[in-house]
Each structure stands twice: as structure tokens, then as C-alpha cells.
Amino acid sequence: MKSLKLIGLAFGATMALSTTAFAQDLTIAVAGPMTGTESAFGRQMKNGADLAVEDINAAGGVAGKKLALDAEDDACDPKQARSVAEKIAGAKIPFVAGHFCSSSSIPASEAYADGNVLQITPASTNPLFTERKLWNVARVCGRDDQQGLIAAQYIAKNYKGKNIAILNDKTTYGKGLADETKKALNKAGVTEKLNESYNKGDKDFNAIVSRLKKENIDLVYVGGYHQEAGLILRQMRDQGMKTVLMSGDALADKEYASITGPAGEGTLFTFGPDPRNKPTAKKIVEAFKAKGIDPEGYTLYTYAALQVWSQAVKKAGTTDPKKVMETMKAGKWDTVLGPIEYDAKGDIKQIDYVVYKWDAKGNYAELGAKGS
């Protein structure tokens, strides 16, 4: 009995030490769609944040503490995102890398602002995210008014005189991107023949595809996510259509190719220059590959978000979110994406969207900057 008591005391002491050690960690968060139809991107974000935390800790941590990562799931649902943000703010976590969907990032940012949390989104491109004069928001990606311009330039140059259709999924991201592309396209003198909406989560697009076929559409621009875009493409091919599908950065995951199969060949989308090919990312890409991870899409963008925040904390000499944000906007930060600088809104100054094309083997390659 005595020995059991001693074992119990020893176990309790061990647990107390463990709890104390954990309490001394500095917790930060990553929030995105860890489940649901966009979970491929949540996985990218979690992978990027995990390795960034590992590397930052190996280099001595932040503010004299090791980082601990809290991963939260918003399933790309605005209400769930708001709830996640309130939870993170309530835990007094000073920084979150998130969210993925603009429809999540925007409502979450208000709760973060009220709860004193600095937010850097790796992926939300809707302009409204940084247009509301909130003190706490920034991104390491571009905006839809920049991305839509590049798509429009490509279409105007390569499909002049052809029949163009624009579709959107009614979401903050999808409709926002489609509207920006339409605006830039119309300004370039190109008027679309068809402009339609669908609901995110739809699976049967035969009615829309039939309209595209009737109007002899040569290129359809889809403002939406990869799941629905892939199904639209497949159903066009099922009806014998050779129409080219073009979309935005939500197609930057190999899950798109798993939906379309070889039929996805020729699909176009806009995204930043592939960070995997940048000299600044070489060592990090190798580290990911050693773990069996291909750091595609927004993996390296999430890694960069943590780099910016940790460097700004070091320079500011504090984790106080408002002081860190002031430091971020006043500095220049070395990241896997290359040097990053911010304007007063929290948008990056270095923007360079390009057009990509999927091949039959499920890989995508850059066509060139500015739609060339």
C-alpha cells in the first residue's frame, strides 16, 4: 500500500511538472477548414503551421518561450468561424494564422479585434477583409481585385471574340472573385455571354452545363471552390463539351485532379508564383518532403504567416498584438515567400499573380505572369 502511495505521489509530481512546463509555453493558433469540403486546404494550413512552430522552437522559440499550436476547425462556415474566434480570444491567444475562406475570415476578424488577437490570413483574398479599418488584420496573399485582373487580362488576350461565361457559388470568396474578374473583363472590352450562380455544395450541374452548351461557350470562368469546379468540368465533358474552365486560387490542390481525372487537363487558374520554386523556400521544401509532404497551395503561405509574426514579436520585444501589428506594418520580413512588406491596411505590397494550367497527369505548371 505504501509503495502504491509513493507511486501515486511520484505520478502526481510528474504531472504537475508537465502541466507547469506546458503552462510556460506560448500558445498560438491556426484556424481553417480541418473538416468539410475544403479540408484539403485546412490540411495545407496545419502542415505549414506545424513545421513553422517546429522550426521556430528549434531556433529558440519566441519571447523566451516555446510555441504550442492550437488547431481549430471552422469547416469554412461563418458561424463556426465566429465561434472559433471567440474561443481563441477567450483563451487570450495573441496570434492566429487563419482563416482560409473569406466568408470565415471576415466575421472571425471582428471577434479577434474585440478580443485582442492579431490575425494573419494565409489565403483569404476578398478585399473586404482589409478594407474595414480593423487594427488586427493582415494577409500574406493577394486580393481578388488583383487576381481577377490577371484572369481578365488572360481571357481578353487569348479569347478575344470568343463566347465567355462567368459562374459563381454565391460565397464571399466565389462571388467576390467572379465579380472582380467580370469588372476587369468588361473594362477590357469583353462582355460575357452568360452570368449565372449556383450553390456551394451542389453536385448536379447539368442544367447549367446545358445552358453553356446551348450558348457555345468557349471559356467558363468559375468563381468558387475546387469541388464544384471539378464537377462542372466533368459534367461538361460528359456532354461532349470542350469548353475551357478557368478559376482562381481555390484550385491549387491536387484534390482537384482527383475529382476530374485526366479530364482536368487544360483547366486554368490564377495563383501566386509557386513558392515551392523560390530560392527562399528551398530548405523548407526539402524539410516538408522529408516528412512526406508536398507543400502545395497555401502550405508555405501559412509557414510565412508564422514567420512574419515571430519576427515582428522579436523586433517589438513583446507579444502584445497591437504593438506587434504596428511593428509588422513598419518593417520588412524575410519569409519562404520572399521579402514581405505591408501597407496601412494590412495588405502585402508585393503582388504577382500568374496563370497555371493543369495537365492530364494531375500536375499544374505556370504559364507566366500577367496572363502571358
Side-chain angles (χ1 to χ4, degrees):
M1 191 71 181
K2 186 177 179 183
S3 61
L4 285 174
K5 284 182 179 179
L6 287 170
I7 291 169
L9 287 168
F11 178 75
T14 303
M15 287 301 292
L17 285 170
S18 174
T19 305
T20 303
F22 181 77
Q24 289 173 348
D25 286 342
L26 175 62
T27 301
I28 61 173
V30 59
M34 306 302 167
T35 62
T37 56
E38 313 313 324
S39 61
F41 293 99
R43 186 168 58 250
Q44 289 177 6
M45 293 172 68
K46 176 71 162 52
N47 286 339
D50 278 340
L51 186 59
V53 165
E54 186 180 316
D55 289 347
I56 290 167
N57 283 342
V62 171
K65 295 182 179 181
K66 297 289 186 181
L67 295 180
L69 184 67
D70 173 37
E72 296 289 344
D73 177 26
D74 67 13
C76 268
D77 175 78
K79 289 182 181 177
Q80 192 165 324
R82 175 83 193 201
S83 177
V84 162
E86 289 171 352
K87 177 184 174 183
I88 289 171
K92 299 192 183 305
I93 292 172
F95 165 68
V96 59
H99 296 224
F100 174 71
C101 293
S102 293
S103 56
S104 291
S105 282
I106 291 170
S109 65
E110 295 163 3
Y112 291 135
D114 293 340
N116 199 35
V117 181
L118 191 157
Q119 176 187 9
I120 302 178
T121 176
S124 294
T125 52
N126 189 284
L128 189 60
F129 178 70
T130 48
E131 289 290 342
R132 293 161 301 147
K133 298 182 179 178
L134 293 181
W135 69 267
N136 65 317
V137 295
R139 49 182 144 210
V140 290
C141 57
R143 296 165 42 128
D144 288 335
D145 46 358
Q146 297 153 343
Q147 183 174 194
L149 175 62
I150 296 302
Q153 287 175 345
Y154 181 90
I155 295 168
K157 178 180 177 182
N158 295 281
Y159 287 85
K160 189 175 182 180
K162 301 288 187 180
N163 295 328
I164 309 299
I166 298 174
L167 306 179
N168 78 81
D169 66 358
K170 303 178 186 177
T171 67
T172 304
Y173 164 73
K175 188 175 188 307
L177 181 56
D179 287 350
E180 292 295 347
T181 303
K182 172 181 162 56
K183 189 191 303 179
L185 206 53
N186 294 165
K187 192 174 181 180
V190 177
T191 302
E192 70 280 2
K193 198 166 184 180
L194 196 65
N195 192 350
E196 292 282 340
S197 297
Y198 60 88
N199 295 309
K200 188 176 185 298
D202 284 353
K203 290 181 171 55
D204 183 356
F205 295 97
N206 281 302
I208 286 178
V209 169
S210 293
R211 288 202 63 189
L212 296 174
K213 189 173 184 179
K214 183 182 177 182
E215 298 292 345
N216 294 313
I217 299 300
D218 297 293
L219 180 142
V220 56
Y221 185 86
V222 178
Y225 293 92
H226 68 300
Q227 296 275 358
E228 292 79 17
L231 292 175
I232 291 169
L233 188 281
R234 276 176 51 184
Q235 289 168 39
M236 286 197 301
R237 297 297 178 262
D238 288 345
Q239 290 200 30
M241 296 176 64
K242 294 182 179 179
T243 302
V244 171
L245 186 144
M246 186 175 192
S247 191
D249 54 308
L251 263 61
D253 188 276
K254 287 184 179 175
E255 199 170 275
Y256 175 75
S258 72
I259 296 167
T260 64
E265 181 180 12
T267 297
L268 305 170
F269 69 97
T270 46
F271 189 48
D274 195 335
R276 292 174 297 182
N277 298 332
K278 293 189 175 186
T280 48
K282 189 174 186 296
K283 287 183 179 179
I284 307 305
V285 170
E286 289 171 357
F288 273 114
K289 289 184 175 177
K291 292 176 177 286
I293 296 170
D294 177 9
E296 64 177 335
Y298 283 104
T299 308
L300 293 172
Y301 282 78
T302 308
Y303 189 102
L306 269 71
Q307 284 183 304
V308 170
W309 174 79
S310 62
Q311 289 174 36
V313 167
K314 185 176 180 180
K315 188 168 184 180
T318 178
T319 58
D320 178 84
K322 289 181 179 175
K323 290 179 180 175
V324 174
M325 181 59 86
E326 288 172 7
T327 304
M328 272 175 52
K329 289 179 177 177
K332 186 174 183 179
W333 314 104
D334 294 324
T335 77
V336 287
L337 306 177
I340 283 180
E341 290 181 89
Y342 286 99
D343 64 15
K345 296 177 183 177
D347 287 318
I348 58 173
K349 294 180 180 179
Q350 303 81 4
I351 303 298
D352 193 14
Y353 276 104
V354 295
V355 178
Y356 291 84
K357 180 187 280 189
W358 281 95
D359 65 23
K361 294 181 180 179
N363 299 304
Y364 57 82
E366 187 179 316
L367 292 184
K370 297 184 179 177
S372 58

